[in-house]
């Protein structure tokens, strides 16, 4: 088939709107914790519009806060043989998969909005698999099961580059996990059924049927605005019409076994209801990443829990300077750690816990190994050239 002319969009349904202030001031990290908005970036995935920005010129440190609680498709030849078009009993497939599907609703308080998506139950005690972008920026997560039970959820861990996240439903028990299939046997022409939370409406799962068009696909996916791109590999390409909100939902085969996790879609017209190409992460790949997350071992790709943040906005356009290397602060959130030790707009952060910071991106990397509650030492240079050093405790940022 011919590649679609429009970059696939990730199926994440925004159900709230930004406030006028947030639309101007909000800077949310997406890829690698950094998102460009008007030449500025926020490091640590901390959108600061929920906090008053400290007026320029303030220098009086306050008491440090207490420790906080914790594109397009690229055609890749496939060696999988074409499958027969075996008829699918959709009702039977849905009856098998439905109990393991959950609706995920998130509050994005730092952005003044809300969002919705889908997840799949992995264990009776409440482990849930979903896309990273479904919970990206979330400050509160609520999950409802097909049986109507509702649970608060927390983030076990995320892998942004693979777009995989694992949640745990607090207080859950006796849940029904999804039936796991074998995505390595998926082939062109195979009939599939996609289940999700189309439109973020909640209630019973939405259903879309179709066939596998290709396997082993690589795409560059973005959000609905065309921003925040991610390159995803080894995907299953389908012609079932998955929609915003379906992200994190199940792609099942004719036997009612889940072979993939819905993650992106593309159409020739963003508002069209037909001719949609969808993409799913093979379930064996998603489960392998979920297992790494559940092991509790952080890596450059995997974050365990929530990020620890300083609460600063920095200039992402500024390159490393031999005269004044570091990350240029352009905003500080009132009451967050950086403000508590006297960092203000115009200062240049030069190191975190002895790790040199030369740019905004290197600040993000220096903070990445740390968690909420971690004590770190920050060094910075003010506009008059004076150097400062202070210890502070990071606070919890939104999910990333």
């Amino acid at each position: 088939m011919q590649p679609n002319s429009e970059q696939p969009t990730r199926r994440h349904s925004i159900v709230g709107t930004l406030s006028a202030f947030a639309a101007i001031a909000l800077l949310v990290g997406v890829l690698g914790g950094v998102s460009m908005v008007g030449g500025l970036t926020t490091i640590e995935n901390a959108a600061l519009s929920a906090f008053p920005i400290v007026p320029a010129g303030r220098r009086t440190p306050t008491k440090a806060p207490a420790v906080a609680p914790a594109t397009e498709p690229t055609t890749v030849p496939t060696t999988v043989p074409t499958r027969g078009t075996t008829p699918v009993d959709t009702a039977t497939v849905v009856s098998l998969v439905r109990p393991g599907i959950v609706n995920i609703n998130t509050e994005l308080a730092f952005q003044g909005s809300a969002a919705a998506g889908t997840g799949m139950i992995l264990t009776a005690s409440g482990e849930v698999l979903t896309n990273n972008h479904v919970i990206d920026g979330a400050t509160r997560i609520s999950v409802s099961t097909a049986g109507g039970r509702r649970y608060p959820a927390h983030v076990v861990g995320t892998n942004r580059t693979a777009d995989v996240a694992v949640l745990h439903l607090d207080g859950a028990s006796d849940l029904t996990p999804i039936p796991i299939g074998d995505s390595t046997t998926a082939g062109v022409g195979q009939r599939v059924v996609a289940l999700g939370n189309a439109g973020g409406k909640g209630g019973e799962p939405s259903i879309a049927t179709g066939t596998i068009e290709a396997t082993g696909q690589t795409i560059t996916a973005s959000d609905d605005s065309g921003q925040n791109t991610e390159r995803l590999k080894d995907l299953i390409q389908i012609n079932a019409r998955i929609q915003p909100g379906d992200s994190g939902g199940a792609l099942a085969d004719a036997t009612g076994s889940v072979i993939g996790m819905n993650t992106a879609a593309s159409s020739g017209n963003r508002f069209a209801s037909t001719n949609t190409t969808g993409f799913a992460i093979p379930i064996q790949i998603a489960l392998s990443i979920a297992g790494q997350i559940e092991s509790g071992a952080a890596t450059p790709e995997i974050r365990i829990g929530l990020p620890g943040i300083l609460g600063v906005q920095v200039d992402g356009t500024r390159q490393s300077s031999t005269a004044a290397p570091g990350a240029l602060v352009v905003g500080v959130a009132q009451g967050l750690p950086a403000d508590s030790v006297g960092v203000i707009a115009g200062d240049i952060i030069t190191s975190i816990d002895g790790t040199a910071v030369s740019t905004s991106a290197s600040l993000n990397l220096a903070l990445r190994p740390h968690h909420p509650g971690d004590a770190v030492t920050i060094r910075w240079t003010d506009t008059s050239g004076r150097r400062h050093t202070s210890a502070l405790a990071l606070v919890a940022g939104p999910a990333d």
Side-chain angles (χ1 to χ4, degrees):
M1 64 175 287
Q2 293 297 316
N4 195 291
S5 60
E6 185 171 331
Q7 190 173 88
T9 56
R10 292 168 295 190
R11 303 292 84 191
H12 179 279
S13 177
I14 297 295
V15 295
T17 57
L18 295 178
S19 67
F21 175 75
I24 296 172
L26 174 65
L27 309 175
V28 185
V30 179
L31 287 181
V34 183
S35 176
M36 295 299 299
V37 179
L40 305 179
T41 64
T42 290
I43 297 297
E44 328 136 281
N45 215 355
L48 304 182
S49 62
F51 299 89
I53 298 298
V54 179
R58 177 179 176 186
R59 175 59 67 184
T60 305
T62 57
K63 184 179 179 180
V67 172
T71 227
E72 306 190 7
T74 300
T75 300
V76 178
T78 175
T79 58
V80 180
T82 299
R83 304 300 184 201
T85 55
T86 304
V88 172
D89 183 340
T90 303
T92 298
V93 171
V94 171
S95 69
L96 292 170
V97 179
R98 172 186 172 276
I101 300 297
V102 296
N103 296 327
I104 298 175
N105 290 283
T106 60
E107 294 180 17
L108 293 77
F110 292 163
Q111 303 182 37
S113 65
T118 313
M120 295 182 284
I121 297 171
L122 296 181
T123 66
S125 59
E127 296 290 286
V128 168
L129 176 70
T130 189
N131 284 131
N132 179 74
H133 72 263
V134 167
I135 52 90
D136 188 28
T139 51
R140 181 176 297 177
I141 304 172
S142 175
V143 174
S144 57
T145 68
R149 288 183 285 178
R150 186 178 299 274
Y151 301 92
H154 69 265
V155 177
V156 177
T158 58
N159 184 320
R160 173 176 298 281
T161 57
D163 202 11
V164 172
V166 176
L167 308 179
H168 183 78
L169 310 190
D170 300 332
S173 62
D174 299 323
L175 301 181
T176 303
I178 56 168
I180 303 297
D182 184 0
S183 54
T184 64
T185 65
V188 175
Q190 184 175 344
R191 300 283 190 178
V192 290
V193 178
L195 290 83
N197 182 17
K201 297 177 181 178
E204 287 295 313
S206 55
I207 301 166
T209 60
T211 60
I212 294 176
E213 296 185 316
T215 59
Q217 297 297 283
T218 297
I219 65 170
T220 299
S222 70
D223 59 22
D224 286 336
S225 69
Q227 303 300 311
N228 304 324
T229 59
E230 292 172 331
R231 194 158 182 83
L232 304 175
K233 301 178 180 180
D234 298 320
L235 303 184
I236 300 170
Q237 181 176 324
I238 59 175
N239 59 17
R241 188 169 69 87
I242 59 175
Q243 303 177 58
D246 283 336
S247 282
L251 182 70
D253 63 17
T255 70
S257 299
V258 175
I259 60 171
M261 178 167 66
N262 305 326
T263 192
S266 176
S267 68
N269 181 331
R270 197 174 297 276
F271 303 102
S273 59
T274 59
N275 300 323
T276 298
T277 296
F279 296 90
I281 299 172
I283 195 63
Q284 265 68 44
I285 292 177
L287 290 176
S288 174
I289 295 169
Q292 295 171 37
I293 291 171
E294 290 167 334
S295 75
T299 70
E301 292 78 29
I302 292 176
R303 182 190 295 281
I304 303 302
L306 296 174
I309 65 171
L310 295 171
V312 295
Q313 295 171 325
V314 298
D315 184 352
T317 66
R318 184 178 188 268
Q319 300 300 310
S320 179
S321 166
T322 54
L328 175 63
V329 176
V330 296
V332 180
Q334 186 173 325
L336 292 194
D339 173 43
S340 73
V341 297
V343 176
I344 65 170
D347 292 348
I348 297 174
I349 297 174
T350 57
S351 76
I352 298 291
D353 258 4
T355 299
V357 170
S358 58
T359 62
S360 61
S362 65
L363 173 58
N364 182 59
L365 291 175
L367 286 166
R368 186 167 180 81
H370 296 286
H371 301 89
D374 283 357
V376 300
T377 299
I378 177 176
R379 293 183 179 177
W380 72 96
T381 303
D382 64 27
T383 54
S384 66
R386 288 177 297 184
R387 297 178 180 178
H388 304 262
T389 300
S390 185
L392 53 77
L394 301 177
V395 295
D400 73 346

